[in-house]
Amino acid sequence: NGIIHVIDTVLLIPEPQPTILEIAQSLPEQFSTLVQALKLADLDQVLNDAVSDEANKFTVFAPTNDAFEGINVATVDLDTLTNILLYHVNSGSVTSNDLKNGQILRPLFDKAYVLVKIGMSGGWWNPKRTVSLNSNVHVTQANIEASNGIIHVIDQVLIPPANDLAAVVDTSPDFTILKQALTETGLLGLFQQTMSSEENEAEGPPYTVLAPTNAAFEKLGDLLEDLTTTALTEILTYHVIPGRIVPSAVLQEERTSTYPTALVGESVEITYQRSYSWAWFSWTYQDLYKVNTDQAEITNTDVLASNGIIHVIDTVLLIPEPQPTILEIAQSLPEQFSTLVQALKLADLDQVLNDAVSDEANKFTVFAPTNDAFEGINVATVDLDTLTNILLYHVNSGSVTSNDLKNGQILRPLFDKAYVLVKIGMSGGWWNPKRTVSLNSNVHVTQANIEASNGIIHVIDQVLIPPANDLAAVVDTSPDFTILKQALTETGLLGLFQQTMSSEENEAEGPPYTVLAPTNAAFEKLGDLLEDLTTTALTEILTYHVIPGRIVPSAVLQEERTSTYPTALVGESVEITYQRSYSWAWFSWTYQDLYKVNTDQAEITNTDVLASNGIIHVI
């Protein structure tokens, strides 16, 4: 009824681990003042209760006796003392290593917050992780484990901010003009809201405020006096990041980040950089925080308030001019895009690219052909439905920068009865490498990332034409595929190649296919075997050449090097291997891209033959 393992020593039951309070009581030289304060506030038993559930444990940042120097806890107002002590206690048992740089702690006194900053000390030869709270309070000993939580010893008492944002502004001589502006615009009340807590979620959100000094406002000169109340209100709300606290530690972590402001539709970008200088035989550094590139600099960070945080800035942020739409940019560059604009108007698509949008999901990415790209195409004489489809084939949902495009990516444009292949390459040689983007193999992006209010433009050197033929028609019209066509017809598989590719409008249509298409010469290698094949055997062979449900362009084959793809013949797969073969000729290196199927069973001789419902690689 079991198993025995023989041991050489009797196991004694471990002593129960002491509670947080018991540990503090056992170290009077460190924590006698803290214990006294806990008893006065009737919180000692809260930290003495035995708990088994991790969720009911506590993390206590415990000030030492030295930290309480100058504070007579016996004379502090009892409510104030209670709030200060609860400000040191967090729910859950959190080790020092679990604390994150820029973390916002909401302690048991949750009408304020605690900022965590992780740093390093000791130099590169002996680095040590440091933890500080609210900038100037340091953890001197971490991870003292108790049965009901964990203790981190700190060198100062944490004092919850007594002032809200409005009071911080009111009491600072640097913010008299800001206070006056907030009062005139009726925004001061916004800064007086109590931060939402577990007790009252309906209270105000926290705010991060980029607060201009008097000197910053004085830079505006007469403009400040000329501002209407509405304009001043917009400028002030442009300085407020609502709904979150963004301390300097977060700015350092993120390096460059964009934050939506309280002014609807407008954001600010904050960039962090550490600047080093050599002086007196040692390196020194300065932390620099720039707003909107060089529009303003943060001169003082992390001014805490009970309902938010202030970063002081040296220049008032003026709201940027509205960014033009995609259409407006095209109209402003007639030497590049007059034909495109004409085509958009003829197809009644001009306003689609002129609508103002604030949601990223509603923006567009437009691959914009130049006037030269339209050479030989008279857009006024093109059938209107055809013209509309061609234009929609150049437009994708969402704003996608050139760097976000991936090698081998399949784009489904607004004309979603076809697709666009993306290929990323390099030009310029090893001494001056440049990233290149091409579409459908032969259309090149010549200028990328022209930003508009409703999306982004990438200039291209040719008009993208959606494939007119489906896979069946590509086979039908090529003199190299007469035997393949005959085989597909005999086996009844030709209809498979005529299905329209599924789209947003009709998901029930067919999947896309990648076809490894043998030429006439490939079939002729079979000799008499081809004529001897039964219809069933021929059907199996043909379906073994089809990869269903996905488009696999050559760019993907190059990225993956060697990949196995399930075919339409159930249970069978093909392996495609890519290799670049180099050779030296006429004092320069040349290369050839080689694609082998099933090791050396076949070679792909032509890649990326596009069809409306798939792609063909010739073998």
Side-chain angles (χ1 to χ4, degrees):
N1 59 350
I3 191 170
I4 292 174
H5 300 298
V6 181
I7 60 175
D8 63 355
T9 306
V10 175
L11 303 176
L12 298 179
I13 301 165
E15 289 292 319
Q17 201 172 30
T19 65
I20 291 169
L21 181 69
E22 288 169 344
I23 290 173
Q25 288 174 325
S26 71
L27 297 167
E29 69 285 357
Q30 272 193 291
F31 299 124
S32 60
T33 309
L34 175 60
V35 171
Q36 180 190 0
L38 289 168
K39 288 180 177 178
L40 288 168
D42 201 22
L43 293 173
D44 50 335
Q45 285 310 305
V46 174
L47 299 181
N48 200 37
D49 289 342
V51 296
S52 57
D53 187 355
E54 285 294 320
N56 294 325
K57 292 185 176 183
F58 297 109
T59 298
V60 175
F61 294 99
T64 61
N65 295 337
D66 288 343
F68 276 103
E69 190 174 352
I71 302 172
N72 185 346
V73 294
T75 63
V76 177
D77 171 76
L78 195 55
D79 285 342
T80 302
L81 181 63
T82 301
N83 290 342
I84 288 173
L85 292 171
L86 291 176
Y87 190 55
H88 290 74
V89 183
N90 291 262
S91 295
S93 182
V94 181
T95 68
S96 169
N97 284 337
D98 289 333
L99 294 170
K100 302 290 187 292
N101 193 33
Q103 189 173 348
I104 311 294
L105 302 178
R106 291 300 295 269
L108 297 195
F109 175 67
D110 65 352
K111 289 182 170 58
Y113 58 90
V114 176
L115 293 183
V116 178
K117 190 164 188 177
I118 307 300
M120 297 297 289
S121 70
W124 59 266
W125 57 91
N126 186 28
K128 293 179 182 177
R129 188 175 188 268
T130 62
V131 179
S132 58
L133 308 172
N134 293 355
S135 298
N136 60 345
V137 178
H138 305 97
V139 173
T140 57
Q141 184 182 355
N143 304 331
I144 302 172
E145 292 189 4
S147 62
N148 60 343
I150 197 165
I151 298 169
H152 305 301
V153 183
I154 55 176
D155 63 355
Q156 294 185 56
V157 176
L158 288 165
I159 304 296
N163 290 336
D164 57 25
L165 291 162
V168 171
V169 170
D170 183 40
T171 55
S172 171
D174 286 330
F175 294 140
T176 53
I177 300 176
L178 177 59
K179 178 192 172 185
Q180 182 184 346
L182 290 168
T183 305
E184 287 178 8
T185 56
L187 291 174
L188 199 63
L190 190 74
F191 285 8
Q192 292 170 327
Q193 290 178 316
T194 303
M195 188 164 61
S196 301
S197 62
E198 288 187 10
E199 293 177 10
N200 190 350
E201 291 186 2
E203 293 172 337
Y207 297 100
T208 297
V209 180
L210 303 173
T213 60
N214 294 337
F217 276 105
E218 286 163 0
K219 288 181 184 178
L220 295 177
D222 294 337
L223 177 61
L224 181 59
E225 294 180 9
D226 296 339
L227 290 172
T228 64
T229 303
T230 301
L232 183 57
T233 301
E234 289 181 347
I235 286 174
L236 292 175
T237 52
Y238 184 53
H239 288 72
V240 178
I241 300 167
R244 65 179 296 190
I245 293 165
V246 186
S248 61
V250 167
L251 298 177
Q252 291 180 14
E253 285 286 309
E254 296 182 345
R255 297 287 173 173
T256 297
S257 283
T258 301
Y259 302 98
T261 69
L263 182 60
V264 176
E266 297 294 342
S267 299
V268 291
E269 181 186 79
I270 304 178
T271 303
Y272 164 76
Q273 183 182 3
R274 180 161 281 181
S275 174
Y276 289 90
S277 58
W278 178 261
W280 294 99
F281 306 104
S282 66
W283 287 102
T284 60
Y285 68 84
Q286 183 182 8
D287 290 327
L288 303 176
Y289 305 85
K290 300 290 182 74
V291 185
N292 294 346
T293 311
D294 283 316
Q295 193 178 1
E297 188 171 324
I298 297 175
T299 56
N300 189 16
T301 60
D302 300 338
V303 180
L304 304 190
S306 60
N307 58 346
I309 193 169
I310 288 174
H311 301 304
V312 182
I313 58 175
D314 64 354
T315 307
V316 175
L317 303 173
L318 297 179
I319 302 162
E321 288 294 317
Q323 208 170 27
T325 65
I326 291 168
L327 181 70
E328 288 169 344
I329 290 173
Q331 288 174 323
S332 71
L333 297 167
E335 69 285 355
Q336 272 193 291
F337 300 124
S338 60
T339 309
L340 176 60
V341 171
Q342 180 191 359
L344 289 167
K345 288 181 177 177
L346 287 168
D348 202 22
L349 293 173
D350 50 336
Q351 285 310 306
V352 174
L353 300 181
N354 199 38
D355 289 341
V357 296
S358 56
D359 187 355
E360 285 294 319
N362 294 326
K363 292 184 176 182
F364 297 110
T365 298
V366 176
F367 294 99
T370 61
N371 295 337
D372 289 342
F374 276 103
E375 191 174 353
I377 303 173
N378 184 348
V379 294
T381 63
V382 177
D383 171 75
L384 195 56
D385 286 343
T386 302
L387 181 63
T388 301
N389 291 341
I390 288 173
L391 292 171
L392 291 175
Y393 189 56
H394 290 75
V395 183
N396 290 262
S397 294
S399 183
V400 182
T401 68
S402 168
N403 284 337
D404 289 333
L405 294 170
K406 303 290 187 291
N407 193 33
Q409 188 173 349
I410 310 294
L411 302 178
R412 291 300 296 270
L414 296 196
F415 175 67
D416 66 353
K417 289 183 172 57
Y419 58 91
V420 176
L421 292 183
V422 178
K423 190 164 188 176
I424 306 300
M426 296 297 289
S427 70
W430 59 265
W431 57 92
N432 185 28
K434 292 180 181 176
R435 188 176 188 268
T436 62
V437 179
S438 58
L439 308 173
N440 293 354
S441 298
N442 61 344
V443 178
H444 305 98
V445 173
T446 57
Q447 184 182 355
N449 305 330
I450 302 173
E451 292 188 5
S453 62
N454 59 343
I456 197 165
I457 297 170
H458 304 302
V459 183
I460 56 177
D461 62 356
Q462 293 184 57
V463 176
L464 287 165
I465 304 296
N469 290 336
D470 57 26
L471 290 163
V474 171
V475 170
D476 183 41
T477 55
S478 172
D480 287 329
F481 295 139
T482 53
I483 300 177
L484 176 59
K485 178 191 172 185
Q486 181 183 346
L488 289 168
T489 305
E490 287 178 9
T491 56
L493 292 175
L494 199 63
L496 190 74
F497 285 9
Q498 291 169 328
Q499 288 179 317
T500 304
M501 188 163 61
S502 301
S503 63
E504 287 188 10
E505 293 177 10
N506 190 349
E507 291 186 1
E509 294 171 336
Y513 297 100
T514 298
V515 179
L516 304 173
T519 60
N520 295 337
F523 276 106
E524 287 163 0
K525 287 180 184 178
L526 295 177
D528 294 338
L529 177 61
L530 181 60
E531 294 180 8
D532 296 339
L533 289 172
T534 64
T535 304
T536 301
L538 182 59
T539 300
E540 289 182 346
I541 287 174
L542 292 175
T543 52
Y544 185 52
H545 288 72
V546 178
I547 300 168
R550 64 178 295 188
I551 293 164
V552 185
S554 61
V556 168
L557 299 176
Q558 291 179 14
E559 286 285 310
E560 296 181 346
R561 297 289 174 172
T562 297
S563 284
T564 302
Y565 301 97
T567 69
L569 180 59
V570 176
E572 297 294 340
S573 299
V574 291
E575 181 187 79
I576 304 177
T577 303
Y578 164 76
Q579 182 183 2
R580 179 162 283 181
S581 174
Y582 289 90
S583 59
W584 178 261
W586 294 99
F587 307 106
S588 66
W589 286 102
T590 60
Y591 67 83
Q592 183 183 8
D593 290 327
L594 303 176
Y595 305 85
K596 300 292 183 72
V597 185
N598 293 346
T599 311
D600 284 315
Q601 192 179 0
E603 187 171 325
I604 296 174
T605 57
N606 189 15
T607 60
D608 301 338
V609 180
L610 304 191
S612 60
N613 58 346
I615 193 169
I616 289 174
H617 301 305
V618 182
I619 63 173

